[in-house]
């Protein structure tokens, strides 16, 4: 027997599907095929929001084939064969190596143990946040959140602050702020960016490289770091306990031989990913081949190197152990979301034209940029209560229906929506790392509400004034 709540939500999803399938008529460009696609897509979105994104994602693949909108080969190739899937797998294995060798802990500890932070609580918090952002540009944000929660707990004990103290809450909400920023600022090992890049390519025909995305993401991360510090200054948490703490007393453990090898191999892999994109404008012939092979091959070579290099008779990376830690539900979800956009943009379904006709009267009188701003606001609000990826997919497709032919750069629009949909720090259900912070009581919604609202408002301003113009320039 399934749980009562699960059965209830599955029942609602079934009713939704039947109502759409038999009650929605193919008008205003919508075809019979489009009705069938909507009859399985909308209930799936509902199940993702209320049940889970695991078996519900697999169910959608089967139902999509049954609609006839795509052949089985097209569905498998567009979902589990999508580049986002293999990228998540390979970088998850690399992240395992970084974590197991203690490299992440060592790097984080190095940041916060600088002497300049002694007697300066704001500087200490800035170094703590900065370490999370810098390391997080290369590491899966959920894994990093687990590490940083442990690090913050140890630091809080040494400083002499406990749950309920403002300085304690400030450290932990900073972990969540950094996590939502890195989830969209860097494409390296971050599913939301990979999914969004896939949708931009599939529906807009725009190929966005890692280097191009980072050209937008890094400035955004810098601005959001300043936004975090502004939020802390406005908050002014009591830091009296910190004044007796000496950060320099924190002595990071020496990096092991495995850690040094892992760091070197990982940095080489990142260089092999980014340098061809940067260098092809200067030496196009020399970098042409490497810029064409994509980002996964260097990461695969790095994994294989770590599996081959022995230390004390054992390889640096235990591949079997790493595979057991792969986030399979998240990988499945990423693949399914990538294929979901295909039938939405297909002329055979007419869904895009139908959505445009349905929503245009609502936004009539608004300029294209005002429409973009309203969609970003709506995405920011929704994502703080529901899934960020579902929010991103939903508003991406709504925006395309409204803004196609408007003159706005649609690739930049997608970047704005993806960024707004990632700024999820207000509630325990806002994003995957949020329960790690809210659940054990490290922070409370009310306790960090003021600082959180400042952070979210500043993030929205950054989306519209920084992300849009930068993405317009970088995405071609």
């Amino acid at each position: 027997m399934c749980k009562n709540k699960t059965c209830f939500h599955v029942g609602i999803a079934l009713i939704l599907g039947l109502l759409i399938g038999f009650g929605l008529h193919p008008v205003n460009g919508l075809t019979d095929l489009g009705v069938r696609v909507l009859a399985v897509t909308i209930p799936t979105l509902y199940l993702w929001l209320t049940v889970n994104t695991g078996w519900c994602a697999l169910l959608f693949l089967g139902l999509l084939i049954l609609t006839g909108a795509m052949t089985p080969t097209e569905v498998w190739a567009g979902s589990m064969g999508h580049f986002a899937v293999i990228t998540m797998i390979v970088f998850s294995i690399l992240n395992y190596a970084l974590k197991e060798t203690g490299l992440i802990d060592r790097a984080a500890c190095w940041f916060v143990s600088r002497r300049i932070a002694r007697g300066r609580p704001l500087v200490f918090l800035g170094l703590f946040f900065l370490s999370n952002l810098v390391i997080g540009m290369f590491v899966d944000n959920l894994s990093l959140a687990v590490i940083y929660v442990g690090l913050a707990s140890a630091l809080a004990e040494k400083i002499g602050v406990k749950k309920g103290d403002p300085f304690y809450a400030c450290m932990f909400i900073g972990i969540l702020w950094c996590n939502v920023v890195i989830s969209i600022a860097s494409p390296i090992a971050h599913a939301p960016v990979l999914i969004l890049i896939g949708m931009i390519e599939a529906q807009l025909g725009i190929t966005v490289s890692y280097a191009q995305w980072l050209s937008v993401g890094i400035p955004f991360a810098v601005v959001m770091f300043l936004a975090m510090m502004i939020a802390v200054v406005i908050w002014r948490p009591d830091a009296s306990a910190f004044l007796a703490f000496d950060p320099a007393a924190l002595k990071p453990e020496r990096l092991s031989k495995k850690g040094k090898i892992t760091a070197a191999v990982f940095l080489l892999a990142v260089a092999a990913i980014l340098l061809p994109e940067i260098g092809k404008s200067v030496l196009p012939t020399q970098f042409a081949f490497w810029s064409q092979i994509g980002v996964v091959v260097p990461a695969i070579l790095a994994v294989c190197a770590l599996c081959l290099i022995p230390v004390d008779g054992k390889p640096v990376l235990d591949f079997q152990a790493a595979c057991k830690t792969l986030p399979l539900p998240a990988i499945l979800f990423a693949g399914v979301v990538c294929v979901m956009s295909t039938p939405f943009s297909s002329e055979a379904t007419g869904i895009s034209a139908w959505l445009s006709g349905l929503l245009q009267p609502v936004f009539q009188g608004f300029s294209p940029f005002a429409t973009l701003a309203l969609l970003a606001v709506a995405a920011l609000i929704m994502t703080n209560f529901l899934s960020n990826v579902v929010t991103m997919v939903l508003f991406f497709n709504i925006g395309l229906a409204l803004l196609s032919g408007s003159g706005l750069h649609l690739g930049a629009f997608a970047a704005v929506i993806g960024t707004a949909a990632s700024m999820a720090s207000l509630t325990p259900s806002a994003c995957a790392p949020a329960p790690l912070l809210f659940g054990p009581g490290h922070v409370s919604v009310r306790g960090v509400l003021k600082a959180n609202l400042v952070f979210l408002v500043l993030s929205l301003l950054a989306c519209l004034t920084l992300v849009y113009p930068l993405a317009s320039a970088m995405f071609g």
Side-chain angles (χ1 to χ4, degrees), residues 180-341:
V180 299
V181 170
I182 60 176
S183 71
I184 197 67
S186 171
I188 301 173
H190 297 106
V193 185
L194 296 175
I195 292 169
L196 187 58
I197 288 176
M199 292 194 298
I200 291 173
E201 183 172 0
Q203 292 193 240
L204 303 178
I206 300 173
T207 300
V208 180
S209 68
Y210 275 30
Q212 287 174 311
W213 191 275
L214 286 170
S215 298
V216 178
I218 291 176
F220 174 73
V222 171
V223 169
M224 291 313 300
F225 171 74
L226 297 176
M228 294 176 208
M229 300 312 297
I230 290 171
V232 173
V233 170
I234 293 174
W235 184 3
R236 295 176 64 87
D238 178 23
S240 54
F242 177 83
L243 299 178
F245 171 66
D246 182 9
L250 298 170
K251 295 182 179 179
E253 294 182 6
R254 292 179 61 86
L255 198 60
S256 66
K257 188 175 180 181
K258 282 188 175 183
K260 293 176 181 177
I261 293 172
T262 301
V265 171
F266 184 79
L267 289 175
L268 285 173
V270 172
I273 291 169
L274 299 180
L275 286 180
E277 289 296 327
I278 299 170
K280 69 179 182 180
S281 60
V282 181
L283 300 170
T285 304
Q286 289 81 351
F287 284 102
F289 172 75
W290 288 103
S291 63
Q292 291 173 2
I293 65 171
V295 299
V296 184
V297 172
I300 290 175
L301 295 177
V303 168
C304 294
L306 293 176
C307 290
L308 287 170
I309 299 173
V311 174
D312 299 327
K314 294 182 179 180
V316 173
L317 174 62
D318 185 338
F319 187 78
Q320 297 299 326
C323 287
K324 292 178 182 178
T325 66
L326 288 176
L328 185 58
I331 292 169
L332 289 172
F333 182 57
V336 172
V337 169
C338 289
V339 79
M340 179 179 279
S341 61

Side-chain angles (χ1 to χ4, degrees), residues 20-344:
I20 295 169
F22 292 100
L24 184 61
H25 301 291
V27 294
N28 297 326
L30 185 67
T31 66
D32 286 321
L33 183 60
V35 171
R36 294 198 297 273
V37 170
L38 288 173
V40 300
T41 301
I42 293 176
T44 298
L45 290 173
Y46 175 79
L47 288 175
W48 282 351
L49 296 173
T50 57
V51 181
N52 68 48
T53 56
W55 64 265
C56 299
L58 281 177
L59 176 63
F60 174 77
L61 293 181
L63 293 176
L64 181 59
I65 293 172
L66 291 176
T67 65
M70 299 175 70
T71 66
T73 300
E74 290 171 336
V75 169
W76 309 142
S79 58
M80 303 318 297
H82 195 274
F83 79 89
V85 173
I86 185 62
T87 303
M88 284 186 66
I89 291 172
V90 176
F91 274 99
S92 292
I93 294 173
L94 277 178
N95 285 171
Y96 172 85
L98 294 174
K99 183 173 64 175
E100 288 300 304
T101 55
L103 189 59
I104 297 174
D105 298 272
R106 173 70 169 75
C109 205
W110 181 89
F111 271 92
V112 298
S113 62
R114 300 302 89 197
R115 289 187 180 277
I116 192 174
R118 185 173 184 178
R120 299 183 179 94
L122 193 61
V123 173
F124 173 80
L125 289 171
L127 290 171
F128 184 69
F129 297 165
L130 184 62
S131 69
N132 199 322
L133 286 173
V134 172
I135 298 169
M137 296 297 284
F138 307 98
V139 180
D140 165 59
N141 56 314
L142 183 56
S143 299
L144 191 65
V146 174
I147 292 171
Y148 263 77
V149 166
L151 176 62
S153 297
L155 287 172
E157 185 176 350
K158 292 179 182 297
I159 294 170
V161 291
K162 58 185 185 300
K163 290 180 183 179
D165 293 340
F167 194 84
Y168 182 100
C170 187
M171 289 175 59
F172 280 89
I173 195 60
I175 295 172
L176 190 55
W177 289 343
C178 292
N179 262 263
V180 299
V181 170
I182 60 176
S183 71
I184 197 67
S186 171
I188 301 173
H190 297 106
V193 185
L194 296 175
I195 292 169
L196 187 58
I197 288 176
M199 292 194 298
I200 291 173
E201 183 172 0
Q203 292 193 240
L204 303 178
I206 300 173
T207 300
V208 180
S209 68
Y210 275 30
Q212 287 174 311
W213 191 275
L214 286 170
S215 298
V216 178
I218 291 176
F220 174 73
V222 171
V223 169
M224 291 313 300
F225 171 74
L226 297 176
M228 294 176 208
M229 300 312 297
I230 290 171
V232 173
V233 170
I234 293 174
W235 184 3
R236 295 176 64 87
D238 178 23
S240 54
F242 177 83
L243 299 178
F245 171 66
D246 182 9
L250 298 170
K251 295 182 179 179
E253 294 182 6
R254 292 179 61 86
L255 198 60
S256 66
K257 188 175 180 181
K258 282 188 175 183
K260 293 176 181 177
I261 293 172
T262 301
V265 171
F266 184 79
L267 289 175
L268 285 173
V270 172
I273 291 169
L274 299 180
L275 286 180
E277 289 296 327
I278 299 170
K280 69 179 182 180
S281 60
V282 181
L283 300 170
T285 304
Q286 289 81 351
F287 284 102
F289 172 75
W290 288 103
S291 63
Q292 291 173 2
I293 65 171
V295 299
V296 184
V297 172
I300 290 175
L301 295 177
V303 168
C304 294
L306 293 176
C307 290
L308 287 170
I309 299 173
V311 174
D312 299 327
K314 294 182 179 180
V316 173
L317 174 62
D318 185 338
F319 187 78
Q320 297 299 326
C323 287
K324 292 178 182 178
T325 66
L326 288 176
L328 185 58
I331 292 169
L332 289 172
F333 182 57
V336 172
V337 169
C338 289
V339 79
M340 179 179 279
S341 61
T342 302
F344 264 76

Side-chain angles (χ1 to χ4, degrees), residues 181 184 216-228 230 369 372 376-377 380 412 415-420 423 454-471:
V181 170
I184 197 67
V216 178
I218 291 176
F220 174 73
V222 171
V223 169
M224 291 313 300
F225 171 74
L226 297 176
M228 294 176 208
I230 290 171
F369 193 80
L372 168 60
V377 171
L380 184 70
V416 169
I417 289 300
T419 304
M423 297 298 102
V454 172
F455 172 78
L456 292 174
V457 169
L458 292 176
S459 70
L460 180 63
L461 292 175
C463 284
L464 298 175
T465 62
L466 177 71
V467 172
Y468 182 81
L470 278 179

